Every structure is written in structure tokens, then in C-alpha cells.
Amino acid sequence: NFKVKVVDDRDNKPIPFISVDITSGNTKVQSLPTNDAGEIMFTHLAGKFSVVVKEDNFANYSNDFDGTAIKEMLVKLIKGGGLKGHLTLGKEVTLAWVSLQPGNVNLPLDSEGNFEFFNLLPGEYDLSVSRNLKDGKNQMEKIPVRIIIENEKTFEINLDDFQKNQTTLDVSVYRDGVLSTENGYLNITDRRGQSVVASAITNGKYLVERILP
């Protein structure tokens, strides 16, 4: 048998009636709720697994264990931190969203260009912005700033600040000295080799209107 107890990291009080998953790779092996004491007993776990807890009011939790060696685990859930920001959307934008790495967490911007993430694990993240335009084109830009998330704090960012000194790049693709009519893909990387702008090219031409410094 393998016992799990789930508590709130702030006061060590048990958290009752939340789902605890036992996984092996991407496969869910068992999933049961905690009792009123925040405890749960799993059976027939002889091997290496992960304890995963996803609860709306807390940051996601995942921890590996060996069922042949460990028979009890105390899970302390933290509130996590937040990230909120704003980006002014032009009339040419039909849809925009922001992405966080690691974790590949995506969130659409609302009609006012605002977004807010909740219950993020503390740590450093990369933030990027993607747009779908009315002309069918799409754009992706990596924001050149370190996003540091701290527990129970909110990191605020105004993405408009990063558009003040942007560079415009007019891209044309030629084949044998003639402007190509083929479709392709444009990827601009920074000095570390990480993608900062990615977009499709139609009929051999593309105007990159926003390259962040």
C-alpha cells in the first residue's frame, strides 16, 4: 500500500476531497480523491510512478516515487504565482494569445488585449505572443524579458513597452534571380539560436513589422 497526504503549504492543514493521480509516463494508473483528513491509500503500486495533483486553487504538483521503497508521501500544495499583462491589438488582428515555457501554457487575450495566468509554479519563464491576422498571416514573437514567478506574487508586464523600438524587415525570396511565387516559412532566431519571429511567407514576400530589440 502507498499512502498520500495532501496539505496546504501555508498552514499544513489537510486538503480534503481533491483528486490525486498516480501516473506512469503519460498513462494514468490510478485516480482517487482524498478523504476529509486529506489522505488517500493506493494499492498495488510496486514500481516507479509519479504523484500528480491538479487543483484550480493551487499550482500543479508532480513528484516521482518508487513504490517498492517508499510507502508514504506528504504532498504540500503551494498557491503559486501569477502573471498578468496587456497588449494593444491592432484592427488587423483577429486572434492573439500568449504562451509560457516551460509547460507550454497558452492563454488567449481578451477583447481588450489583457491576459492573466494564475497558480503558476515559481521559477523563470519565457513569454511569447502569437497573432492571427485578417489577411491570413500569423506571427509569433518572443518577448525579450525574464519572467520570474514568485509564490503568492503577481508579475505584471505591459507588452506595448516592447513595441516602441521595434525594427521592420522586408523579406523577399528569389529563385534564380526571379522573385519566387512559392509559399514558405520564415524563422528569425536570436544569437542563442532561439526563435523570436516565425511566420508563413506567401508568394515569396513577407513584411515583418515587429522585431523586438
Side-chain angles (χ1 to χ4, degrees), residues 10-210:
R10 292 169 294 185
D11 51 19
N12 286 320
K13 289 185 178 180
I15 305 176
F17 315 122
I18 65 169
S19 181
V20 178
D21 298 335
I22 302 296
T23 65
S24 177
N26 295 323
T27 303
K28 185 183 295 186
V29 178
Q30 294 187 42
S31 182
L32 293 170
T34 57
N35 59 22
D36 56 2
E39 299 177 348
I40 186 170
M41 186 71 72
F42 293 96
T43 58
H44 309 297
L45 293 178
K48 295 182 179 180
F49 300 93
S50 298
V51 173
V52 178
V53 183
K54 295 182 179 181
E55 172 67 19
D56 288 343
N57 295 319
F58 296 91
N60 290 345
Y61 176 94
S62 179
N63 195 16
D64 299 333
F65 73 97
D66 186 343
T68 61
I70 301 175
K71 299 302 180 183
E72 187 171 333
M73 178 180 291
L74 178 64
V75 173
K76 291 189 174 185
L77 298 185
I78 63 173
K79 184 69 175 178
L83 169 64
K84 64 186 301 185
H86 172 81
L87 174 66
T88 299
L89 301 176
K91 295 181 179 179
E92 75 281 4
V93 178
T94 59
L95 178 66
W97 64 96
V98 289
S99 301
L100 277 180
Q101 296 289 353
N104 193 32
V105 185
N106 301 309
L107 186 68
L109 276 64
D110 65 19
S111 59
E112 302 296 326
N114 300 313
F115 65 91
E116 186 168 5
F117 293 92
F118 299 96
N119 307 124
L120 296 171
L121 284 171
E124 183 173 341
Y125 292 81
D126 290 327
L127 178 68
S128 61
V129 180
S130 298
R131 302 176 180 85
N132 289 346
L133 308 181
K134 289 182 178 179
D135 59 8
K137 295 178 181 178
N138 55 72
Q139 299 175 338
M140 186 281 290
E141 305 159 24
K142 182 179 176 182
I143 305 302
V145 65
R146 295 173 64 202
I147 306 294
I148 306 297
I149 301 300
E150 300 180 74
N151 192 34
E152 298 191 56
K153 293 183 179 180
T154 298
F155 188 107
E156 298 190 29
I157 185 170
N158 186 350
L159 299 183
D160 291 342
D161 292 341
F162 297 95
Q163 298 188 3
K164 295 178 181 178
N165 298 312
Q166 291 177 338
T167 299
T168 297
L169 179 66
D170 194 355
V171 179
S172 298
V173 180
Y174 288 84
R175 182 184 295 275
D176 298 327
V178 180
L179 182 66
S180 173
T181 59
E182 299 177 1
N183 298 333
Y185 192 78
L186 171 69
N187 186 32
I188 299 176
T189 62
D190 59 20
R191 293 180 179 179
R192 296 176 296 174
Q194 297 183 351
S195 179
V196 293
V197 175
S199 182
I201 296 179
T202 304
N203 294 325
K205 292 183 67 66
Y206 188 79
L207 178 64
V208 185
E209 298 178 319
R210 288 176 283 266

